Amino acid sequence: MKVLVIGKGGREHALCWRLHQSPSVWGLYCTGDNPGIAKIAEPCRVSSSDFDGLAAFAAREKIDLTVVGPEDPLAAGVVDHFKARGLTILGPSKAAAQLEASKSFAKSVMRAAGVPTAAAESFTDITEALDYVRSRPYRVVVKADGLALGKGVTVCQDLGQAEAAIVEALERKRFGAAGARILIEERLEGEELSFFALCNGVEAVPLGFVQDHKAVFDGDQGPNTGGMGAYSPLPHYDDAFAERVMTEVIRPTLHEMARRDIPFSGILFAGLMVTGTRLNVLEYNVRFGDPECESLMMRFDGDLGATLGAVAEGRVRDAAVRLSPQSAVAVVLASGGYPGEYRTGLPIGGLEQIDGDEPSALKTRWAIKRTRVKVFHAGTTLADGALVTNGGRVLVVTARAESVQQAVAAAYEAADLIRFDGLHLRRDIAYRVLGTPTNPINPG
Ligand code: AMP
Ligand code: GLY
């Protein structure tokens, strides 16, 4: 079949890479054309917000399946647009994408479905919001209701910070329309996990758990980013726990959406907080996570085109999900300054030692240990034929090996070959399993 991928970052490069290897896929197109994607997919030179143009391209090229990476086109209705033209696309309708695009909508679905989640209220009036936080006996999280480029959430240390976050959103309009309504939620403590399921209507199959590392610095310090690294599977969260998430979260959510006549199809990503034996949903997303997707694609052993095609056509039971029990880890190489201001156009060196055809001692060692290393391009471009940085998250170095220890070691060995000015990475990806140099878990 012929597949079109909408999106342009590391997540989409990983999807294209796996689709390119799918026996069922013989034509691959992508709206993104970073040098990693451009090596394996034909360009679709249509903006990912031009739905008429995308649908016309899909019809003209006889695309059998379109896969959408980012949330924005989903929230703006790209799926409705394609389906109205009889085109097959994987993802939720605009109405169903509200699970991610409106936090108050997601909360109302969770409540109606009996899905465990933190206490919360939504506000548009600043006085009411301030009165509410002042009367709470617990710490809170203030969230812009709409999509705010991942910046709309303030996890507050104290009342002063909560008041400031409310003023920022409702008075100073920092998030524009996305923050005209806010949600004030009880702050939960615990371990954060991402859970993914492939869904169509009330049917779903699990893709399992991935752990992201959102803060920019080691030890979860500094501001939140889109994600600095991820690994899967999670040794402490087994299939029985995945089944619990399917029973307590995914299936009730799908039933509630169907009851509202807005059935959900596509990828349902539940952001979870686990506190002891308690499980709470922090948020829903309606797409793959980035860099979660890179680690999942590294473990995906089946025919991704056939799997995603089956889900898009409503044949969820045929969606043979074959995920390797091996470990995959993804380490993000970011521009210095990200998630704030950063420079672009900086030359990138060293990649040929990992991705090139030249044999090397490191490649031989990885091969002997049956370790695979793959670098996905997120924010890169070519300037006069040379690879340069072109975004906050630049490259995602991904490794797969027998154990999480081996995968982490290989990913950092590879990452250390890559150079650009200001390169920043976290050194502690998977620390919850491995510990850190100063704070090891299970030493020896
Ligand atoms: P969200 O976009 O709702 O997932 O929020 C972004 C990040 O804020 C999450 O990944 C968590 O790290 C944090 N967060 C969100 N809600 C809560 C909560 N109720 N308690 C603690 N942290 C939270
Ligand atoms: N890595 C988190 C996300 O994609 O939302």
Side-chain angles (χ1 to χ4, degrees):
M1 60 176 159
K2 289 171 88 175
V3 182
L4 167 65
V5 174
I6 297 178
K8 63 184 169 94
R11 165 181 51 205
E12 289 77 19
H13 185 192
L15 288 168
C16 283
W17 174 73
R18 220 65 202 79
L19 287 165
H20 180 68
Q21 297 168 351
S22 293
S24 67
V25 175
W26 53 269
L28 182 61
Y29 300 80
C30 186
T31 61
D33 62 354
N34 74 41
I37 293 173
K39 264 194 200 151
I40 49 176
E42 303 282 331
C44 162
R45 294 205 170 85
V46 181
S47 152
S48 57
S49 57
D50 174 6
F51 299 164
D52 281 333
L54 290 169
F57 178 91
R60 189 173 65 241
E61 294 295 336
K62 301 199 166 42
I63 299 289
D64 300 292
L65 170 69
T66 298
V67 178
V68 189
E71 62 274 24
D72 285 341
L74 295 169
V78 69
V79 167
D80 310 66
H81 227 81
F82 270 56
K83 287 196 171 161
R85 283 160 186 74
L87 297 162
T88 304
I89 183 165
L90 178 66
S93 64
K94 179 175 179 171
Q98 287 181 89
L99 275 183
E100 174 164 359
S102 166
K103 291 191 189 286
S104 52
F105 175 84
K107 209 61 164 185
S108 85
V109 170
M110 288 182 222
R111 282 205 187 115
V115 168
T117 187
E121 279 308 322
S122 88
F123 298 91
T124 51
D125 181 90
I126 186 163
T127 316
E128 287 175 18
L130 290 170
D131 284 348
Y132 180 80
V133 286
R134 286 169 187 152
S135 66
R136 290 305 98 187
Y138 44 73
R139 294 196 292 181
V140 301
V141 179
V142 178
K143 303 182 173 186
D145 191 65
L147 296 176
L149 299 169
K151 295 189 176 137
V153 174
T154 312
V155 180
C156 305
Q157 304 295 347
D158 52 34
L159 179 62
Q161 222 182 346
E163 290 172 338
I166 292 168
V167 170
E168 279 291 310
L170 293 182
E171 194 174 283
R172 302 219 180 100
K173 317 247 181 286
R174 173 157 168 230
F175 308 110
R181 175 181 293 280
I182 57 169
L183 202 71
I184 302 179
E185 191 170 291
E186 176 178 3
R187 179 172 164 177
L188 303 173
E189 308 292 338
E191 179 167 6
E192 239 184 289
L193 317 176
S194 304
F195 184 83
F196 296 86
L198 294 170
C199 312
N200 197 317
V202 294
E203 291 199 299
V205 279
L207 280 172
F209 298 103
V210 186
Q211 192 154 53
D212 185 15
H213 299 62
K214 291 206 167 116
V216 70
F217 300 125
D218 284 13
D220 296 329
Q221 301 298 305
N224 267 0
T225 68
M228 292 298 293
Y231 68 102
S232 73
L234 308 187
H236 305 311
Y237 298 95
D238 57 8
D239 286 351
F241 199 72
E243 191 43 44
R244 185 175 156 200
V245 177
M246 291 299 286
T247 307
E248 291 183 21
V249 177
I250 303 295
R251 290 194 196 101
T253 302
L254 295 179
H255 276 104
E256 174 59 19
M257 294 294 282
R259 195 191 63 77
R260 293 182 184 209
D261 233 0
I262 34 179
F264 182 90
S265 57
I267 295 125
L268 187 56
F269 162 177
L272 307 173
M273 184 76 95
V274 179
T275 319
T277 58
R278 278 182 57 208
L279 168 75
N280 277 291
V281 175
L282 292 181
E283 62 164 347
Y284 292 120
N285 296 304
V286 300
R287 51 170 174 86
F288 280 115
D290 191 352
E292 286 98 325
C293 185
E294 287 87 320
S295 86
L296 279 176
M297 289 306 113
M298 208 62 185
R299 288 178 54 218
F300 196 94
D301 277 341
D303 181 326
L304 184 66
T307 296
L308 299 183
V311 177
E313 287 168 7
R315 296 180 288 105
V316 177
R317 285 184 198 157
D318 297 339
V321 171
R322 282 183 45 214
L323 280 178
S324 164
Q326 289 194 328
S327 283
V329 57
V331 175
V332 172
L333 309 191
S335 298
Y338 171 78
E341 306 248 312
Y342 53 81
R343 290 166 62 202
T344 58
L346 303 167
I348 301 171
L351 204 54
E352 65 292 343
Q353 296 181 68
I354 306 158
D355 265 4
D357 299 328
E358 295 276 305
S360 71
L362 208 47
K363 281 193 204 166
T364 309
R365 189 146 60 79
W366 289 335
I368 291 169
K369 290 190 172 169
R370 300 218 196 138
T371 298
R372 290 181 223 173
V373 176
K374 176 72 197 164
V375 181
F376 297 113
H377 290 241
T380 66
T381 190
L382 292 177
D384 298 328
L387 189 69
V388 299
T389 66
N390 191 36
R393 293 190 289 180
V394 177
L395 294 164
V396 185
V397 180
T398 311
R400 166 175 161 173
E402 204 52 56
S403 70
V404 60
Q405 285 84 351
Q406 287 168 0
V408 165
Y412 283 117
E413 273 173 344
D416 286 336
L417 297 172
I418 299 173
R419 301 172 303 275
F420 55 85
D421 259 9
L423 186 160
H424 167 70
L425 77 172
R426 271 183 68 160
R427 284 275 163 202
D428 64 345
I429 302 306
Y431 77 89
R432 282 179 184 273
V433 197
L434 302 181
T436 58
T438 49
N439 187 16
I441 295 175
N442 301 327

